[in-house]
Amino acid sequence: MPATLDKIVSRFKSADKQTRLELLLDYSKKLPSLPERFQQARDHGFNRVPECQSPVFLFLEREGTGLVLHADAPREAPTVRGFVALLAKGIQGATPGEAAALPGDLLDQLGLSEALGMTRMHGLTAMIGRVKRMAGEL
Amino acid sequence: MTTASSAPQAPPIESRGYARPEVLVSTEWVAGHLKDPAVRLVESDEDLLLYETGHIPGAVKIDWVTDLNDPVQRDYLDRTRFQALLRARGINADTTIVFYGDKNNWWATYAFWVFRLFGVEKLKVMDGGRARWVDEGRPMNTEVPAYPAGTITVAERNDSAIRSFRNEVLAHVQGRGQLVDVRSPEEYTGQRMHMPDYPNEGALRGGHIPGARSIPWARAVNPDTHCFRPASELKQLYQEEQGLSPDKETIAYCRIGERSSHSWFALTYLLGFRDVKNYDGSWTEWGNAVRLPIEK
């Protein structure tokens, strides 16, 4: 796992359920806006994560030797926004190989399955899968 | 209206011809009761954290997963825990509870339905929901209010009046009873086993319960105003187009019983259907069960 993400996981692991939700909410406020250059693709519906209940768009690109994840998610879906922002931070600068090897049970490791409830896990899980696949294709 | 509103006007609730108009209140009414100690606003959303990003001042939050469901068994809370939940939100026997939420009040009507299982009276829904409140530029804040513990006493949960279980639904099918499938047309036909854009939450088979009419839940709402459509339009939809009779027992279902609680609300309170039940097992039960009949 990329070192930053590993740190985030430890932070979540040591927190109680309520604190994990607060951390997620903090992340949701920190998601940078989608850079202008992706806007057109987004408006055409490219790179949407179809499993997500809200319109979520992910763009993964190389910057130097590492990766940067850009994303767009609506403000009315703070849970999704928060998780995207967490992922973006966690894999920033990671190699494509590291991102492709993200653990599929990341949400469990973060203790979010427990905090959010299982019925809310599918879209978020799909997002991890999407990032892994995109990283594998880079 | 004095607000910086970008929301299109909706006809007044009293003018819409509903059977029981008292279950709806307007955003305007809520704005006038923000400091009313006899009124408790309850926000219920799909997104667990939406309330935390800002809500109507004074509103408390009730979450459909973490608050209303039993954490172990697939069922709702029992009386003791439900009563504790309400008391913790400062609800008394004479409190008027006003629900509102995201997605056309989908989860607000779900919470309303669960509250009715426990016989809680004085329940209302804010017409137009969170979206209308926001569109009208009304105040929001992130302050979580603290109320003194409430004293409400709730009854034992009584499922028989408004909740259906698998075997009852099967008997209802065999007796050619009235059924409403409120999922998307694609889920109804079995082309997909989950809402468009939503994850597949685990059904092995696609299709619908034999004899069910397809009436997607959100058709009861005007997408521009976010408010419920007037009775004449609802009647056109449910009774004239789909031939449902308000005098016959009706069972509504969706995937897990949440969208169908919205249709249950519209049929029961807005159109005055006599006997409507929500089958919360819905497709995630029916589409997985062995030997239950399915139509495609």
Side-chain angles (χ1 to χ4, degrees), chain B residues 265-287:
Chain B
F265 180 86
L267 290 170
T268 303
Y269 294 97
L270 307 185
L271 281 179
F273 272 48
R274 199 176 51 80
D275 180 4
V276 189
K277 295 186 176 75
N278 183 20
Y279 168 41
D280 60 278
S282 276
W283 200 254
T284 50
E285 178 173 63
W286 199 273

mmCIF file with all atom_site columns, all heavy atoms in Angstrom, chain B residues 265-287:
data_model
loop_
_atom_site.group_PDB
_atom_site.id
_atom_site.type_symbol
_atom_site.label_atom_id
_atom_site.label_alt_id
_atom_site.label_comp_id
_atom_site.label_asym_id
_atom_site.label_entity_id
_atom_site.label_seq_id
_atom_site.pdbx_PDB_ins_code
_atom_site.Cartn_x
_atom_site.Cartn_y
_atom_site.Cartn_z
_atom_site.occupancy
_atom_site.B_iso_or_equiv
_atom_site.pdbx_formal_charge
_atom_site.auth_seq_id
_atom_site.auth_comp_id
_atom_site.auth_asym_id
_atom_site.auth_atom_id
_atom_site.pdbx_PDB_model_num
ATOM 1   N N   . PHE B 1 265 ? -46.699 6.365   0.972  1.00 0.00 ? 265 PHE B N   1
ATOM 2   C CA  . PHE B 1 265 ? -47.105 7.662   1.516  1.00 0.00 ? 265 PHE B CA  1
ATOM 3   C C   . PHE B 1 265 ? -48.083 8.359   0.561  1.00 0.00 ? 265 PHE B C   1
ATOM 4   O O   . PHE B 1 265 ? -49.147 8.839   0.977  1.00 0.00 ? 265 PHE B O   1
ATOM 5   C CB  . PHE B 1 265 ? -45.855 8.534   1.731  1.00 0.00 ? 265 PHE B CB  1
ATOM 6   C CG  . PHE B 1 265 ? -46.143 9.899   2.285  1.00 0.00 ? 265 PHE B CG  1
ATOM 7   C CD1 . PHE B 1 265 ? -46.251 10.105  3.650  1.00 0.00 ? 265 PHE B CD1 1
ATOM 8   C CD2 . PHE B 1 265 ? -46.317 10.993  1.438  1.00 0.00 ? 265 PHE B CD2 1
ATOM 9   C CE1 . PHE B 1 265 ? -46.526 11.367  4.167  1.00 0.00 ? 265 PHE B CE1 1
ATOM 10  C CE2 . PHE B 1 265 ? -46.589 12.257  1.944  1.00 0.00 ? 265 PHE B CE2 1
ATOM 11  C CZ  . PHE B 1 265 ? -46.691 12.438  3.315  1.00 0.00 ? 265 PHE B CZ  1
ATOM 12  N N   . ALA B 1 266 ? -47.727 8.401   -0.717 1.00 0.00 ? 266 ALA B N   1
ATOM 13  C CA  . ALA B 1 266 ? -48.574 9.095   -1.694 1.00 0.00 ? 266 ALA B CA  1
ATOM 14  C C   . ALA B 1 266 ? -49.938 8.419   -1.813 1.00 0.00 ? 266 ALA B C   1
ATOM 15  O O   . ALA B 1 266 ? -50.974 9.079   -1.828 1.00 0.00 ? 266 ALA B O   1
ATOM 16  C CB  . ALA B 1 266 ? -47.877 9.142   -3.060 1.00 0.00 ? 266 ALA B CB  1
ATOM 17  N N   . LEU B 1 267 ? -49.942 7.093   -1.862 1.00 0.00 ? 267 LEU B N   1
ATOM 18  C CA  . LEU B 1 267 ? -51.212 6.381   -2.025 1.00 0.00 ? 267 LEU B CA  1
ATOM 19  C C   . LEU B 1 267 ? -52.083 6.526   -0.778 1.00 0.00 ? 267 LEU B C   1
ATOM 20  O O   . LEU B 1 267 ? -53.283 6.771   -0.867 1.00 0.00 ? 267 LEU B O   1
ATOM 21  C CB  . LEU B 1 267 ? -50.950 4.894   -2.308 1.00 0.00 ? 267 LEU B CB  1
ATOM 22  C CG  . LEU B 1 267 ? -50.353 4.578   -3.686 1.00 0.00 ? 267 LEU B CG  1
ATOM 23  C CD1 . LEU B 1 267 ? -49.913 3.122   -3.761 1.00 0.00 ? 267 LEU B CD1 1
ATOM 24  C CD2 . LEU B 1 267 ? -51.365 4.879   -4.792 1.00 0.00 ? 267 LEU B CD2 1
ATOM 25  N N   . THR B 1 268 ? -51.465 6.375   0.385  1.00 0.00 ? 268 THR B N   1
ATOM 26  C CA  . THR B 1 268 ? -52.234 6.407   1.633  1.00 0.00 ? 268 THR B CA  1
ATOM 27  C C   . THR B 1 268 ? -52.754 7.804   1.956  1.00 0.00 ? 268 THR B C   1
ATOM 28  O O   . THR B 1 268 ? -53.946 7.990   2.200  1.00 0.00 ? 268 THR B O   1
ATOM 29  C CB  . THR B 1 268 ? -51.358 5.927   2.811  1.00 0.00 ? 268 THR B CB  1
ATOM 30  O OG1 . THR B 1 268 ? -50.876 4.619   2.513  1.00 0.00 ? 268 THR B OG1 1
ATOM 31  C CG2 . THR B 1 268 ? -52.142 5.895   4.117  1.00 0.00 ? 268 THR B CG2 1
ATOM 32  N N   . TYR B 1 269 ? -51.857 8.767   1.960  1.00 0.00 ? 269 TYR B N   1
ATOM 33  C CA  . TYR B 1 269 ? -52.228 10.081  2.493  1.00 0.00 ? 269 TYR B CA  1
ATOM 34  C C   . TYR B 1 269 ? -52.682 11.070  1.428  1.00 0.00 ? 269 TYR B C   1
ATOM 35  O O   . TYR B 1 269 ? -53.515 11.926  1.690  1.00 0.00 ? 269 TYR B O   1
ATOM 36  C CB  . TYR B 1 269 ? -51.050 10.672  3.271  1.00 0.00 ? 269 TYR B CB  1
ATOM 37  C CG  . TYR B 1 269 ? -50.740 9.870   4.507  1.00 0.00 ? 269 TYR B CG  1
ATOM 38  C CD1 . TYR B 1 269 ? -49.745 8.909   4.499  1.00 0.00 ? 269 TYR B CD1 1
ATOM 39  C CD2 . TYR B 1 269 ? -51.479 10.057  5.677  1.00 0.00 ? 269 TYR B CD2 1
ATOM 40  C CE1 . TYR B 1 269 ? -49.474 8.149   5.636  1.00 0.00 ? 269 TYR B CE1 1
ATOM 41  C CE2 . TYR B 1 269 ? -51.214 9.308   6.809  1.00 0.00 ? 269 TYR B CE2 1
ATOM 42  C CZ  . TYR B 1 269 ? -50.216 8.360   6.784  1.00 0.00 ? 269 TYR B CZ  1
ATOM 43  O OH  . TYR B 1 269 ? -49.960 7.611   7.906  1.00 0.00 ? 269 TYR B OH  1
ATOM 44  N N   . LEU B 1 270 ? -52.108 10.957  0.245  1.00 0.00 ? 270 LEU B N   1
ATOM 45  C CA  . LEU B 1 270 ? -52.464 11.957  -0.764 1.00 0.00 ? 270 LEU B CA  1
ATOM 46  C C   . LEU B 1 270 ? -53.672 11.506  -1.571 1.00 0.00 ? 270 LEU B C   1
ATOM 47  O O   . LEU B 1 270 ? -54.560 12.282  -1.863 1.00 0.00 ? 270 LEU B O   1
ATOM 48  C CB  . LEU B 1 270 ? -51.255 12.251  -1.663 1.00 0.00 ? 270 LEU B CB  1
ATOM 49  C CG  . LEU B 1 270 ? -49.973 12.644  -0.892 1.00 0.00 ? 270 LEU B CG  1
ATOM 50  C CD1 . LEU B 1 270 ? -48.862 13.040  -1.848 1.00 0.00 ? 270 LEU B CD1 1
ATOM 51  C CD2 . LEU B 1 270 ? -50.246 13.778  0.110  1.00 0.00 ? 270 LEU B CD2 1
ATOM 52  N N   . LEU B 1 271 ? -53.729 10.203  -1.901 1.00 0.00 ? 271 LEU B N   1
ATOM 53  C CA  . LEU B 1 271 ? -54.875 9.713   -2.670 1.00 0.00 ? 271 LEU B CA  1
ATOM 54  C C   . LEU B 1 271 ? -55.925 9.032   -1.798 1.00 0.00 ? 271 LEU B C   1
ATOM 55  O O   . LEU B 1 271 ? -57.017 8.732   -2.272 1.00 0.00 ? 271 LEU B O   1
ATOM 56  C CB  . LEU B 1 271 ? -54.402 8.742   -3.756 1.00 0.00 ? 271 LEU B CB  1
ATOM 57  C CG  . LEU B 1 271 ? -53.819 9.412   -5.005 1.00 0.00 ? 271 LEU B CG  1
ATOM 58  C CD1 . LEU B 1 271 ? -53.355 8.357   -6.006 1.00 0.00 ? 271 LEU B CD1 1
ATOM 59  C CD2 . LEU B 1 271 ? -54.850 10.338  -5.652 1.00 0.00 ? 271 LEU B CD2 1
ATOM 60  N N   . GLY B 1 272 ? -55.595 8.749   -0.554 1.00 0.00 ? 272 GLY B N   1
ATOM 61  C CA  . GLY B 1 272 ? -56.596 8.160   0.337  1.00 0.00 ? 272 GLY B CA  1
ATOM 62  C C   . GLY B 1 272 ? -56.900 6.702   0.048  1.00 0.00 ? 272 GLY B C   1
ATOM 63  O O   . GLY B 1 272 ? -58.021 6.245   0.294  1.00 0.00 ? 272 GLY B O   1
ATOM 64  N N   . PHE B 1 273 ? -55.922 5.955   -0.470 1.00 0.00 ? 273 PHE B N   1
ATOM 65  C CA  . PHE B 1 273 ? -56.136 4.516   -0.641 1.00 0.00 ? 273 PHE B CA  1
ATOM 66  C C   . PHE B 1 273 ? -56.381 3.907   0.743  1.00 0.00 ? 273 PHE B C   1
ATOM 67  O O   . PHE B 1 273 ? -55.744 4.262   1.723  1.00 0.00 ? 273 PHE B O   1
ATOM 68  C CB  . PHE B 1 273 ? -54.916 3.854   -1.301 1.00 0.00 ? 273 PHE B CB  1
ATOM 69  C CG  . PHE B 1 273 ? -54.949 3.866   -2.801 1.00 0.00 ? 273 PHE B CG  1
ATOM 70  C CD1 . PHE B 1 273 ? -55.251 5.027   -3.500 1.00 0.00 ? 273 PHE B CD1 1
ATOM 71  C CD2 . PHE B 1 273 ? -54.684 2.711   -3.529 1.00 0.00 ? 273 PHE B CD2 1
ATOM 72  C CE1 . PHE B 1 273 ? -55.286 5.046   -4.882 1.00 0.00 ? 273 PHE B CE1 1
ATOM 73  C CE2 . PHE B 1 273 ? -54.719 2.709   -4.917 1.00 0.00 ? 273 PHE B CE2 1
ATOM 74  C CZ  . PHE B 1 273 ? -55.016 3.871   -5.594 1.00 0.00 ? 273 PHE B CZ  1
ATOM 75  N N   . ARG B 1 274 ? -57.293 2.966   0.786  1.00 0.00 ? 274 ARG B N   1
ATOM 76  C CA  . ARG B 1 274 ? -57.787 2.462   2.055  1.00 0.00 ? 274 ARG B CA  1
ATOM 77  C C   . ARG B 1 274 ? -56.773 1.611   2.805  1.00 0.00 ? 274 ARG B C   1
ATOM 78  O O   . ARG B 1 274 ? -56.623 1.696   4.021  1.00 0.00 ? 274 ARG B O   1
ATOM 79  C CB  . ARG B 1 274 ? -59.046 1.621   1.776  1.00 0.00 ? 274 ARG B CB  1
ATOM 80  C CG  . ARG B 1 274 ? -59.955 1.378   2.933  1.00 0.00 ? 274 ARG B CG  1
ATOM 81  C CD  . ARG B 1 274 ? -61.192 0.610   2.472  1.00 0.00 ? 274 ARG B CD  1
ATOM 82  N NE  . ARG B 1 274 ? -60.869 -0.586  1.693  1.00 0.00 ? 274 ARG B NE  1
ATOM 83  C CZ  . ARG B 1 274 ? -60.491 -1.755  2.212  1.00 0.00 ? 274 ARG B CZ  1
ATOM 84  N NH1 . ARG B 1 274 ? -60.400 -1.898  3.515  1.00 0.00 ? 274 ARG B NH1 1
ATOM 85  N NH2 . ARG B 1 274 ? -60.215 -2.787  1.436  1.00 0.00 ? 274 ARG B NH2 1
ATOM 86  N N   . ASP B 1 275 ? -56.052 0.762   2.067  1.00 0.00 ? 275 ASP B N   1
ATOM 87  C CA  . ASP B 1 275 ? -55.221 -0.242  2.743  1.00 0.00 ? 275 ASP B CA  1
ATOM 88  C C   . ASP B 1 275 ? -53.952 -0.473  1.924  1.00 0.00 ? 275 ASP B C   1
ATOM 89  O O   . ASP B 1 275 ? -53.949 -1.258  0.979  1.00 0.00 ? 275 ASP B O   1
ATOM 90  C CB  . ASP B 1 275 ? -56.046 -1.530  2.868  1.00 0.00 ? 275 ASP B CB  1
ATOM 91  C CG  . ASP B 1 275 ? -55.272 -2.647  3.554  1.00 0.00 ? 275 ASP B CG  1
ATOM 92  O OD1 . ASP B 1 275 ? -54.126 -2.408  3.995  1.00 0.00 ? 275 ASP B OD1 1
ATOM 93  O OD2 . ASP B 1 275 ? -55.818 -3.764  3.629  1.00 0.00 ? 275 ASP B OD2 1
ATOM 94  N N   . VAL B 1 276 ? -52.893 0.233   2.278  1.00 0.00 ? 276 VAL B N   1
ATOM 95  C CA  . VAL B 1 276 ? -51.638 0.108   1.530  1.00 0.00 ? 276 VAL B CA  1
ATOM 96  C C   . VAL B 1 276 ? -50.556 -0.427  2.455  1.00 0.00 ? 276 VAL B C   1
ATOM 97  O O   . VAL B 1 276 ? -50.415 0.038   3.589  1.00 0.00 ? 276 VAL B O   1
ATOM 98  C CB  . VAL B 1 276 ? -51.179 1.471   0.955  1.00 0.00 ? 276 VAL B CB  1
ATOM 99  C CG1 . VAL B 1 276 ? -49.999 1.285   0.009  1.00 0.00 ? 276 VAL B CG1 1
ATOM 100 C CG2 . VAL B 1 276 ? -52.332 2.176   0.259  1.00 0.00 ? 276 VAL B CG2 1
ATOM 101 N N   . LYS B 1 277 ? -49.827 -1.400  1.976  1.00 0.00 ? 277 LYS B N   1
ATOM 102 C CA  . LYS B 1 277 ? -48.729 -1.955  2.767  1.00 0.00 ? 277 LYS B CA  1
ATOM 103 C C   . LYS B 1 277 ? -47.433 -1.843  1.989  1.00 0.00 ? 277 LYS B C   1
ATOM 104 O O   . LYS B 1 277 ? -47.425 -1.875  0.763  1.00 0.00 ? 277 LYS B O   1
ATOM 105 C CB  . LYS B 1 277 ? -49.007 -3.406  3.111  1.00 0.00 ? 277 LYS B CB  1
ATOM 106 C CG  . LYS B 1 277 ? -50.215 -3.582  4.026  1.00 0.00 ? 277 LYS B CG  1
ATOM 107 C CD  . LYS B 1 277 ? -50.357 -5.028  4.466  1.00 0.00 ? 277 LYS B CD  1
ATOM 108 C CE  . LYS B 1 277 ? -51.498 -5.185  5.455  1.00 0.00 ? 277 LYS B CE  1
ATOM 109 N NZ  . LYS B 1 277 ? -52.823 -5.119  4.806  1.00 0.00 ? 277 LYS B NZ  1
ATOM 110 N N   . ASN B 1 278 ? -46.359 -1.726  2.732  1.00 0.00 ? 278 ASN B N   1
ATOM 111 C CA  . ASN B 1 278 ? -45.037 -1.683  2.126  1.00 0.00 ? 278 ASN B CA  1
ATOM 112 C C   . ASN B 1 278 ? -44.355 -3.025  2.373  1.00 0.00 ? 278 ASN B C   1
ATOM 113 O O   . ASN B 1 278 ? -44.264 -3.481  3.514  1.00 0.00 ? 278 ASN B O   1
ATOM 114 C CB  . ASN B 1 278 ? -44.244 -0.525  2.765  1.00 0.00 ? 278 ASN B CB  1
ATOM 115 C CG  . ASN B 1 278 ? -42.868 -0.351  2.156  1.00 0.00 ? 278 ASN B CG  1
ATOM 116 O OD1 . ASN B 1 278 ? -42.602 -0.804  1.036  1.00 0.00 ? 278 ASN B OD1 1
ATOM 117 N ND2 . ASN B 1 278 ? -41.984 0.309   2.887  1.00 0.00 ? 278 ASN B ND2 1
ATOM 118 N N   . TYR B 1 279 ? -43.901 -3.645  1.299  1.00 0.00 ? 279 TYR B N   1
ATOM 119 C CA  . TYR B 1 279 ? -43.176 -4.915  1.434  1.00 0.00 ? 279 TYR B CA  1
ATOM 120 C C   . TYR B 1 279 ? -41.683 -4.597  1.444  1.00 0.00 ? 279 TYR B C   1
ATOM 121 O O   . TYR B 1 279 ? -41.065 -4.441  0.404  1.00 0.00 ? 279 TYR B O   1
ATOM 122 C CB  . TYR B 1 279 ? -43.555 -5.831  0.269  1.00 0.00 ? 279 TYR B CB  1
ATOM 123 C CG  . TYR B 1 279 ? -42.685 -7.068  0.110  1.00 0.00 ? 279 TYR B CG  1
ATOM 124 C CD1 . TYR B 1 279 ? -42.265 -7.809  1.214  1.00 0.00 ? 279 TYR B CD1 1
ATOM 125 C CD2 . TYR B 1 279 ? -42.316 -7.509  -1.159 1.00 0.00 ? 279 TYR B CD2 1
ATOM 126 C CE1 . TYR B 1 279 ? -41.474 -8.934  1.058  1.00 0.00 ? 279 TYR B CE1 1
ATOM 127 C CE2 . TYR B 1 279 ? -41.527 -8.641  -1.323 1.00 0.00 ? 279 TYR B CE2 1
ATOM 128 C CZ  . TYR B 1 279 ? -41.109 -9.353  -0.212 1.00 0.00 ? 279 TYR B CZ  1
ATOM 129 O OH  . TYR B 1 279 ? -40.317 -10.468 -0.370 1.00 0.00 ? 279 TYR B OH  1
ATOM 130 N N   . ASP B 1 280 ? -41.114 -4.468  2.653  1.00 0.00 ? 280 ASP B N   1
ATOM 131 C CA  . ASP B 1 280 ? -39.723 -4.006  2.724  1.00 0.00 ? 280 ASP B CA  1
ATOM 132 C C   . ASP B 1 280 ? -38.710 -5.091  2.377  1.00 0.00 ? 280 ASP B C   1
ATOM 133 O O   . ASP B 1 280 ? -37.555 -4.804  2.079  1.00 0.00 ? 280 ASP B O   1
ATOM 134 C CB  . ASP B 1 280 ? -39.423 -3.369  4.093  1.00 0.00 ? 280 ASP B CB  1
ATOM 135 C CG  . ASP B 1 280 ? -39.619 -4.336  5.251  1.00 0.00 ? 280 ASP B CG  1
ATOM 136 O OD1 . ASP B 1 280 ? -40.776 -4.495  5.680  1.00 0.00 ? 280 ASP B OD1 1
ATOM 137 O OD2 . ASP B 1 280 ? -38.639 -4.922  5.708  1.00 0.00 ? 280 ASP B OD2 1
ATOM 138 N N   . GLY B 1 281 ? -39.137 -6.344  2.403  1.00 0.00 ? 281 GLY B N   1
ATOM 139 C CA  . GLY B 1 281 ? -38.245 -7.407  1.908  1.00 0.00 ? 281 GLY B CA  1
ATOM 140 C C   . GLY B 1 281 ? -37.910 -7.137  0.451  1.00 0.00 ? 281 GLY B C   1
ATOM 141 O O   . GLY B 1 281 ? -36.778 -7.274  -0.004 1.00 0.00 ? 281 GLY B O   1
ATOM 142 N N   . SER B 1 282 ? -38.949 -6.725  -0.272 1.00 0.00 ? 282 SER B N   1
ATOM 143 C CA  . SER B 1 282 ? -38.827 -6.260  -1.654 1.00 0.00 ? 282 SER B CA  1
ATOM 144 C C   . SER B 1 282 ? -37.948 -7.155  -2.525 1.00 0.00 ? 282 SER B C   1
ATOM 145 O O   . SER B 1 282 ? -37.846 -8.354  -2.289 1.00 0.00 ? 282 SER B O   1
ATOM 146 C CB  . SER B 1 282 ? -38.350 -4.808  -1.669 1.00 0.00 ? 282 SER B CB  1
ATOM 147 O OG  . SER B 1 282 ? -39.452 -3.936  -1.509 1.00 0.00 ? 282 SER B OG  1
ATOM 148 N N   . TRP B 1 283 ? -37.348 -6.550  -3.560 1.00 0.00 ? 283 TRP B N   1
ATOM 149 C CA  . TRP B 1 283 ? -36.693 -7.408  -4.546 1.00 0.00 ? 283 TRP B CA  1
ATOM 150 C C   . TRP B 1 283 ? -35.472 -8.135  -3.993 1.00 0.00 ? 283 TRP B C   1
ATOM 151 O O   . TRP B 1 283 ? -35.121 -9.231  -4.447 1.00 0.00 ? 283 TRP B O   1
ATOM 152 C CB  . TRP B 1 283 ? -36.337 -6.636  -5.828 1.00 0.00 ? 283 TRP B CB  1
ATOM 153 C CG  . TRP B 1 283 ? -36.138 -7.629  -6.923 1.00 0.00 ? 283 TRP B CG  1
ATOM 154 C CD1 . TRP B 1 283 ? -34.982 -8.039  -7.486 1.00 0.00 ? 283 TRP B CD1 1
ATOM 155 C CD2 . TRP B 1 283 ? -37.174 -8.433  -7.510 1.00 0.00 ? 283 TRP B CD2 1
ATOM 156 N NE1 . TRP B 1 283 ? -35.214 -9.050  -8.385 1.00 0.00 ? 283 TRP B NE1 1
ATOM 157 C CE2 . TRP B 1 283 ? -36.553 -9.313  -8.422 1.00 0.00 ? 283 TRP B CE2 1
ATOM 158 C CE3 . TRP B 1 283 ? -38.568 -8.520  -7.337 1.00 0.00 ? 283 TRP B CE3 1
ATOM 159 C CZ2 . TRP B 1 283 ? -37.274 -10.241 -9.172 1.00 0.00 ? 283 TRP B CZ2 1
ATOM 160 C CZ3 . TRP B 1 283 ? -39.283 -9.440  -8.078 1.00 0.00 ? 283 TRP B CZ3 1
ATOM 161 C CH2 . TRP B 1 283 ? -38.638 -10.286 -8.988 1.00 0.00 ? 283 TRP B CH2 1
ATOM 162 N N   . THR B 1 284 ? -34.801 -7.554  -3.010 1.00 0.00 ? 284 THR B N   1
ATOM 163 C CA  . THR B 1 284 ? -33.624 -8.237  -2.475 1.00 0.00 ? 284 THR B CA  1
ATOM 164 C C   . THR B 1 284 ? -34.031 -9.516  -1.737 1.00 0.00 ? 284 THR B C   1
ATOM 165 O O   . THR B 1 284 ? -33.203 -10.389 -1.514 1.00 0.00 ? 284 THR B O   1
ATOM 166 C CB  . THR B 1 284 ? -32.826 -7.346  -1.504 1.00 0.00 ? 284 THR B CB  1
ATOM 167 O OG1 . THR B 1 284 ? -33.718 -6.786  -0.555 1.00 0.00 ? 284 THR B OG1 1
ATOM 168 C CG2 . THR B 1 284 ? -32.110 -6.247  -2.250 1.00 0.00 ? 284 THR B CG2 1
ATOM 169 N N   . GLU B 1 285 ? -35.292 -9.628  -1.352 1.00 0.00 ? 285 GLU B N   1
ATOM 170 C CA  . GLU B 1 285 ? -35.764 -10.896 -0.805 1.00 0.00 ? 285 GLU B CA  1
ATOM 171 C C   . GLU B 1 285 ? -36.389 -11.737 -1.916 1.00 0.00 ? 285 GLU B C   1
ATOM 172 O O   . GLU B 1 285 ? -36.008 -12.878 -2.143 1.00 0.00 ? 285 GLU B O   1
ATOM 173 C CB  . GLU B 1 285 ? -36.789 -10.659 0.309  1.00 0.00 ? 285 GLU B CB  1
ATOM 174 C CG  . GLU B 1 285 ? -37.333 -11.974 0.858  1.00 0.00 ? 285 GLU B CG  1
ATOM 175 C CD  . GLU B 1 285 ? -38.237 -11.780 2.077  1.00 0.00 ? 285 GLU B CD  1
ATOM 176 O OE1 . GLU B 1 285 ? -39.295 -11.130 1.950  1.00 0.00 ? 285 GLU B OE1 1
ATOM 177 O OE2 . GLU B 1 285 ? -37.863 -12.260 3.151  1.00 0.00 ? 285 GLU B OE2 1
ATOM 178 N N   . TRP B 1 286 ? -37.335 -11.147 -2.626 1.00 0.00 ? 286 TRP B N   1
ATOM 179 C CA  . TRP B 1 286 ? -38.094 -11.903 -3.626 1.00 0.00 ? 286 TRP B CA  1
ATOM 180 C C   . TRP B 1 286 ? -37.176 -12.453 -4.726 1.00 0.00 ? 286 TRP B C   1
ATOM 181 O O   . TRP B 1 286 ? -37.295 -13.618 -5.125 1.00 0.00 ? 286 TRP B O   1
ATOM 182 C CB  . TRP B 1 286 ? -39.170 -10.996 -4.238 1.00 0.00 ? 286 TRP B CB  1
ATOM 183 C CG  . TRP B 1 286 ? -40.263 -11.756 -4.912 1.00 0.00 ? 286 TRP B CG  1
ATOM 184 C CD1 . TRP B 1 286 ? -40.274 -12.189 -6.206 1.00 0.00 ? 286 TRP B CD1 1
ATOM 185 C CD2 . TRP B 1 286 ? -41.503 -12.188 -4.329 1.00 0.00 ? 286 TRP B CD2 1
ATOM 186 N NE1 . TRP B 1 286 ? -41.438 -12.862 -6.472 1.00 0.00 ? 286 TRP B NE1 1
ATOM 187 C CE2 . TRP B 1 286 ? -42.208 -12.878 -5.343 1.00 0.00 ? 286 TRP B CE2 1
ATOM 188 C CE3 . TRP B 1 286 ? -42.078 -12.065 -3.064 1.00 0.00 ? 286 TRP B CE3 1
ATOM 189 C CZ2 . TRP B 1 286 ? -43.475 -13.442 -5.118 1.00 0.00 ? 286 TRP B CZ2 1
ATOM 190 C CZ3 . TRP B 1 286 ? -43.339 -12.626 -2.855 1.00 0.00 ? 286 TRP B CZ3 1
ATOM 191 C CH2 . TRP B 1 286 ? -44.018 -13.302 -3.867 1.00 0.00 ? 286 TRP B CH2 1
ATOM 192 N N   . GLY B 1 287 ? -36.266 -11.622 -5.195 1.00 0.00 ? 287 GLY B N   1
ATOM 193 C CA  . GLY B 1 287 ? -35.379 -12.019 -6.297 1.00 0.00 ? 287 GLY B CA  1
ATOM 194 C C   . GLY B 1 287 ? -34.306 -13.012 -5.889 1.00 0.00 ? 287 GLY B C   1
ATOM 195 O O   . GLY B 1 287 ? -33.543 -13.494 -6.724 1.00 0.00 ? 287 GLY B O   1
#
